[in-house]
């Protein structure tokens, strides 16, 4: 059975997190991806992900929407999907969702995802968080939103930036209930020590 996943990319730094998720979803034949990018996401694409163009990113999704199109299918609660991910999520978008300010398609799609009680994953990319950021995220968490900041793990012995990105992608796929082996998983302390010894031996 095909799963419909909505992916929104905002203007926060960390565009590559959204792109890697799109690539993972595109490789899964059981997933139909619906994509919306904010204007500043497109600007960041040119600055941060120089190996990608807007055309190549759009090609990773089955359906692509304009962020200004509040008449799009994903703006309605009657559009059934299996989860929405905002990655990366700017603090502006987090604030808009927390206050119900559905003034663009990303915020509106998130609003209807909440009201229909469907999974909503938010990947906030900001540091440090101020009190407003924290209060907005707490408000969303209390509504059932999954807040998944791209904080790296090191037990899996990452060797490259790609390893760190892949680990976050694995988490997002897990929370979308999509089986994957995108990154090394925790196998217990003994296995972690053995892996560390092997890495040191081959270094």
């Amino acid at each position: 059975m095909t799963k419909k996943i909505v992916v929104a990319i905002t203007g926060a730094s960390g565009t590559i997190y959204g792109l890697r998720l799109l690539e993972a979803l595109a490789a899964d034949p059981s997933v139909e991806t619906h994509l919306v990018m904010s204007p500043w996401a497109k600007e960041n694409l040119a600055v941060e992900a120089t190996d990608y163009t807007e055309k190549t990113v759009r090609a990773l999704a089955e359906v692509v929407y304009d962020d200004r199109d509040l008449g799009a299918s994903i703006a309605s609660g009657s559009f059934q999907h299996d989860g929405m991910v905002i990655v990366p999520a700017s603090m502006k978008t987090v604030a808009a969702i927390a206050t119900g300010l559905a003034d663009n398609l990303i915020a509106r799609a998130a609003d209807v995802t909440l009201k229909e009680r469907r999974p909503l994953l938010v990947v906030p990319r900001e540091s440090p968080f101020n009190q407003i950021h924290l209060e907005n995220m707490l408000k969303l968490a209390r509504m059932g939103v999954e807040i998944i900041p791209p904080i790296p793990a090191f037990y899996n012995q990452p060797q490259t930036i790609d390893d760190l990105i892949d680990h976050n992608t694995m988490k997002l796929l897990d929370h979308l209930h999509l089986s994957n082996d995108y990154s090394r998983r925790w196998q217990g302390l003994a296995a972690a020590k053995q892996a560390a010894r092997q890495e040191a031996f081959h270094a």
Side-chain angles (χ1 to χ4, degrees), residues 120-164:
L120 177 60
L121 284 57
V122 170
V123 183
R125 230 306 303 154
E126 187 63 87
S127 181
F129 295 124
N130 66 32
Q131 185 175 338
I132 296 170
H133 303 156
L134 293 168
E135 288 177 349
N136 284 335
M137 286 188 287
L138 178 58
K139 186 175 181 180
L140 292 180
R142 285 173 171 161
M143 296 178 198
V145 177
E146 297 180 68
I147 310 294
I148 309 177
I151 298 172
F154 294 96
Y155 62 77
N156 57 348
Q157 301 293 316
Q159 301 298 304
T160 65
I161 292 176
D162 278 344
D163 291 339
L164 300 176

Side-chain angles (χ1 to χ4, degrees), residues 4-69:
K4 294 181 180 179
I5 303 297
V6 179
V7 176
I9 302 177
T10 75
S13 182
T15 309
I16 189 61
Y17 290 110
L19 303 181
R20 193 62 51 84
L21 177 62
L22 286 173
E23 290 173 338
L25 296 176
D28 188 336
S30 70
V31 174
E32 177 183 292
T33 306
H34 294 250
L35 171 66
V36 54
M37 298 176 67
S38 75
W40 279 105
K42 296 172 185 178
E43 294 289 340
N44 274 357
L45 180 67
V47 174
E48 297 184 350
T50 54
D51 291 337
Y52 297 81
T53 65
E54 185 179 343
K55 182 178 179 180
T56 59
V57 174
R58 292 169 66 92
L60 293 170
E62 278 72 29
V63 186
V64 181
Y65 306 92
D66 189 305
D67 187 43
R68 297 165 296 181
D69 184 9

Side-chain angles (χ1 to χ4, degrees), residues 155 184-198:
Y155 62 77
R184 185 186 301 173
R185 297 177 183 276
W186 178 250
Q187 300 294 329
L189 186 58
K193 287 182 176 179
Q194 177 64 24
R197 284 193 292 268
Q198 289 176 346

